[in-house]
């Protein structure tokens, strides 16, 4: 039996980038998948592709995770797929949207607030919306996507680094509050992935340098994250909660 057979998973920010890789992987593992993203065209196309591939159904719902009404609709749409909501992969974030690097004193309050609204409030709102369903089921898995920048710092993205540090704290807080209801809450902290977004934000040489600073000397690909995310989404991790699993080829040891 596949790891997520009979489960329903929500993947926020699942229309493109690494989120789309999680959505495909969850579907391959047997889950009904709800893709929630601001990007309509790509989200709808991916849901159609997964559905036509056969297996469990997939759907898309346009969602801005920083808006509570959108997130409530997202959970309703997921429950509509197969009656349950078993997994929430909180992946949506402003990452590519950060634009160019800016020192902390050049970031405007509006930019700061928008990053916090999506990357932190969004994670909290999605957990808040899914919690009543998971509590009623007496089980559920929340996987938050953090980042190694929390552990290493990163020049030029102070708001983003702070937002990902908050995701780690929120993961531990939610794990304490939801453990009694059978819900686990963990985070995956990726290293620098050599994807289109990272290459837009950093020059090629910087991405190459990250490869050399790892114990495993190669570029990191989105697929390198799939095992950790599926593990924390599946019953195999039922006695693990409040943890942040670093997946970066051995760059940061904690
Ligand atoms: N790429 C990396 O090197 C890296 C490293 C560490 C952590 N991460 C994290 O992994 C996740 C995915 O990274 P990525 O490289 O695919 O990023 P990305 O910027 O390419 O994709 C982010 C996705 O989130 C969606 N999104 C943005 N704002 C949204 C909102 N308000 N509501 C709903 N969806 C929204 C986007 O449309 C997009 O599909 C992010 O949480 C990112 O912070 C990425």
């Amino acid at each position: 039996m596949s790891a997520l057979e009979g489960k329903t998973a929500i993947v926020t920010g699942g229309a493109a980038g690494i989120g789309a890789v999680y959505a495909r992987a969850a579907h391959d593992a047997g889950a009904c998948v709800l893709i929630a993203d601001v990007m309509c065209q790509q989200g709808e196309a991916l849901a159609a592709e997964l559905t036509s591939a056969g297996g469990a159904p997939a759907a898309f719902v346009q969602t801005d995770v920083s808006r509570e009404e959108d997130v409530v609709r997202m959970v309703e749409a997921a429950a509509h797929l197969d009656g349950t909501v078993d997994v929430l992969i909180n992946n949506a974030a402003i990452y590519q949207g950060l634009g160019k690097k800016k020192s902390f004193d050049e970031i405007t309050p509006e930019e700061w607030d928008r990053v916090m609204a999506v990357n932190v409030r969004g994670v909290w709102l999605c957990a808040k919306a899914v919690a009543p369903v998971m509590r009623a089921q007496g089980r559920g898995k929340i996987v938050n996507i953090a980042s190694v920048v929390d552990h290493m710092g990163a020049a030029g993205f102070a708001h983003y680094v702070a937002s990902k540090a908050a995701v780690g704290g929120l993961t531990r807080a939610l794990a304490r509050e939801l453990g009694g209801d059978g819900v686990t809450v963990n985070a995956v902290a990726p290293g620098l992935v050599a994807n289109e977004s990272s290459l837009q934000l950093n020059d090629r040489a910087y991405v190459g340098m990250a490869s050399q600073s790892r114990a495993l000397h190669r570029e990191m690909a989105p697929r390198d994250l799939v095992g950790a995310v599926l593990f924390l989404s599946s019953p195999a991790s039922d006695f693990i909660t409040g943890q942040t699993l670093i997946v970066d080829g051995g760059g940061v040891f904690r």
Side-chain angles (χ1 to χ4, degrees), residues 218-231:
R218 67 160 171 83
E219 284 188 345
M220 182 169 164
R223 68 174 177 280
D224 290 316
L225 291 156
V226 164
V229 169
L230 287 186
F231 168 63

Side-chain angles (χ1 to χ4, degrees), residues 147-148 150-152 172 189 244-246 248 250-254:
S147 170
V148 289
D150 171 22
H151 309 288
M152 304 174 65
R172 292 182 282 278
T244 296
L245 180 52
I246 295 173
D248 73 340
V252 173
F253 293 142
R254 271 173 65 95

Side-chain angles (χ1 to χ4, degrees), residues 48-101:
E49 179 200 315
L50 297 183
T51 301
S52 67
F60 169 77
V61 64
Q62 189 171 18
T63 309
D64 177 343
V65 294
S66 69
R67 292 165 53 98
E68 189 160 30
E69 59 272 35
D70 283 20
V71 163
V72 167
R73 238 178 346 105
M74 170 189 85
V75 173
E76 285 167 3
H80 192 67
L81 275 177
D82 197 35
T84 64
V85 184
D86 306 281
V87 177
L88 166 65
I89 301 174
N90 257 325
N91 164 80
I94 296 189
Y95 176 61
Q96 186 182 120
L98 291 169
K100 71 178 182 66
K101 291 184 182 178

Side-chain angles (χ1 to χ4, degrees), residues 13-19 22 36-39 63-66 91-97 114 118 145-148 160 164 190-193 195 197-198:
I18 305 172
Y22 299 148
D37 203 300
V38 283
M39 284 202 284
T63 309
D64 177 343
V65 294
S66 69
N91 164 80
I94 296 189
Y95 176 61
Q96 186 182 120
R114 186 62 191 152
V118 176
I145 304 301
S147 170
V148 289
Y160 177 76
K164 291 299 180 178
L192 185 68
V193 179
N195 68 346
S197 296
S198 296

